[in-house]
PDB file of all heavy atoms in Angstrom:
ATOM      1  N   THR A 870      21.195 227.699 142.956  1.00  0.00           N
ATOM      2  CA  THR A 870      22.356 226.962 142.979  1.00  0.00           C
ATOM      3  C   THR A 870      22.183 225.677 142.114  1.00  0.00           C
ATOM      4  O   THR A 870      21.197 224.959 142.243  1.00  0.00           O
ATOM      5  CB  THR A 870      22.671 226.464 144.463  1.00  0.00           C
ATOM      6  OG1 THR A 870      22.845 227.621 145.245  1.00  0.00           O
ATOM      7  CG2 THR A 870      23.955 225.671 144.528  1.00  0.00           C
ATOM      8  N   TYR A 890      35.184 226.794 146.251  1.00  0.00           N
ATOM      9  CA  TYR A 890      34.390 227.069 147.306  1.00  0.00           C
ATOM     10  C   TYR A 890      34.142 225.888 148.212  1.00  0.00           C
ATOM     11  O   TYR A 890      34.010 224.741 147.755  1.00  0.00           O
ATOM     12  CB  TYR A 890      32.887 227.363 146.714  1.00  0.00           C
ATOM     13  CG  TYR A 890      31.888 227.618 147.750  1.00  0.00           C
ATOM     14  CD1 TYR A 890      31.877 228.756 148.427  1.00  0.00           C
ATOM     15  CD2 TYR A 890      30.938 226.601 148.032  1.00  0.00           C
ATOM     16  CE1 TYR A 890      30.883 228.931 149.491  1.00  0.00           C
ATOM     17  CE2 TYR A 890      29.987 226.699 149.110  1.00  0.00           C
ATOM     18  CZ  TYR A 890      29.981 227.944 149.775  1.00  0.00           C
ATOM     19  OH  TYR A 890      29.002 228.177 150.730  1.00  0.00           O
ATOM     20  N   ARG A 900      25.192 217.438 154.581  1.00  0.00           N
ATOM     21  CA  ARG A 900      24.456 216.777 155.696  1.00  0.00           C
ATOM     22  C   ARG A 900      22.975 216.583 155.453  1.00  0.00           C
ATOM     23  O   ARG A 900      22.394 215.482 155.885  1.00  0.00           O
ATOM     24  CB  ARG A 900      24.740 217.639 156.954  1.00  0.00           C
ATOM     25  CG  ARG A 900      24.026 217.037 158.232  1.00  0.00           C
ATOM     26  CD  ARG A 900      24.288 217.833 159.392  1.00  0.00           C
ATOM     27  NE  ARG A 900      25.540 217.463 160.122  1.00  0.00           N
ATOM     28  CZ  ARG A 900      25.840 217.778 161.391  1.00  0.00           C
ATOM     29  NH1 ARG A 900      25.100 218.652 162.047  1.00  0.00           N
ATOM     30  NH2 ARG A 900      26.992 217.385 161.908  1.00  0.00           N
ATOM     31  N   GLU A 932      24.740 230.516 141.070  1.00  0.00           N
ATOM     32  CA  GLU A 932      26.027 229.937 141.121  1.00  0.00           C
ATOM     33  C   GLU A 932      26.022 228.502 140.590  1.00  0.00           C
ATOM     34  O   GLU A 932      24.874 227.731 140.830  1.00  0.00           O
ATOM     35  CB  GLU A 932      26.510 229.781 142.644  1.00  0.00           C
ATOM     36  CG  GLU A 932      25.649 229.073 143.559  1.00  0.00           C
ATOM     37  CD  GLU A 932      26.152 229.032 145.034  1.00  0.00           C
ATOM     38  OE1 GLU A 932      27.235 229.514 145.301  1.00  0.00           O
ATOM     39  OE2 GLU A 932      25.386 228.516 145.831  1.00  0.00           O
TER      40      GLU A 932
ATOM     41  N   THR B1109      26.222 220.664 166.744  1.00  0.00           N
ATOM     42  CA  THR B1109      26.011 221.765 166.041  1.00  0.00           C
ATOM     43  C   THR B1109      25.567 221.558 164.544  1.00  0.00           C
ATOM     44  O   THR B1109      25.849 220.501 164.116  1.00  0.00           O
ATOM     45  CB  THR B1109      27.316 222.670 165.893  1.00  0.00           C
ATOM     46  OG1 THR B1109      28.270 221.851 165.335  1.00  0.00           O
ATOM     47  CG2 THR B1109      27.752 223.139 167.296  1.00  0.00           C
ATOM     48  N   LYS B1175      19.547 230.930 151.132  1.00  0.00           N
ATOM     49  CA  LYS B1175      19.353 229.471 150.804  1.00  0.00           C
ATOM     50  C   LYS B1175      18.488 228.871 151.851  1.00  0.00           C
ATOM     51  O   LYS B1175      18.658 229.189 153.033  1.00  0.00           O
ATOM     52  CB  LYS B1175      20.733 228.777 150.910  1.00  0.00           C
ATOM     53  CG  LYS B1175      21.701 229.113 149.742  1.00  0.00           C
ATOM     54  CD  LYS B1175      21.141 229.072 148.320  1.00  0.00           C
ATOM     55  CE  LYS B1175      20.747 227.733 147.847  1.00  0.00           C
ATOM     56  NZ  LYS B1175      20.376 227.835 146.444  1.00  0.00           N
ATOM     57  N   ARG B1184      24.050 233.686 153.096  1.00  0.00           N
ATOM     58  CA  ARG B1184      25.477 233.576 152.866  1.00  0.00           C
ATOM     59  C   ARG B1184      26.058 234.906 152.437  1.00  0.00           C
ATOM     60  O   ARG B1184      25.634 235.501 151.445  1.00  0.00           O
ATOM     61  CB  ARG B1184      25.699 232.523 151.809  1.00  0.00           C
ATOM     62  CG  ARG B1184      25.238 231.101 152.092  1.00  0.00           C
ATOM     63  CD  ARG B1184      25.114 230.223 150.917  1.00  0.00           C
ATOM     64  NE  ARG B1184      26.283 230.270 150.040  1.00  0.00           N
ATOM     65  CZ  ARG B1184      26.301 229.717 148.855  1.00  0.00           C
ATOM     66  NH1 ARG B1184      25.306 229.158 148.378  1.00  0.00           N
ATOM     67  NH2 ARG B1184      27.504 229.822 148.114  1.00  0.00           N
ATOM     68  N   GLU B1191      32.844 233.049 153.356  1.00  0.00           N
ATOM     69  CA  GLU B1191      31.407 233.409 153.510  1.00  0.00           C
ATOM     70  C   GLU B1191      31.088 233.357 155.038  1.00  0.00           C
ATOM     71  O   GLU B1191      31.513 232.485 155.794  1.00  0.00           O
ATOM     72  CB  GLU B1191      30.384 232.442 152.927  1.00  0.00           C
ATOM     73  CG  GLU B1191      30.153 232.733 151.473  1.00  0.00           C
ATOM     74  CD  GLU B1191      29.263 231.633 150.865  1.00  0.00           C
ATOM     75  OE1 GLU B1191      28.871 230.634 151.588  1.00  0.00           O
ATOM     76  OE2 GLU B1191      28.804 231.857 149.730  1.00  0.00           O
TER      77      GLU B1191
END
Side-chain angles (χ1 to χ4, degrees):
Chain A
T870 300
Y890 177 75
R900 177 177 271 197
E932 61 183 354
Chain B
T1109 59
K1175 297 306 297 185
R1184 295 163 52 191
E1191 273 181 353

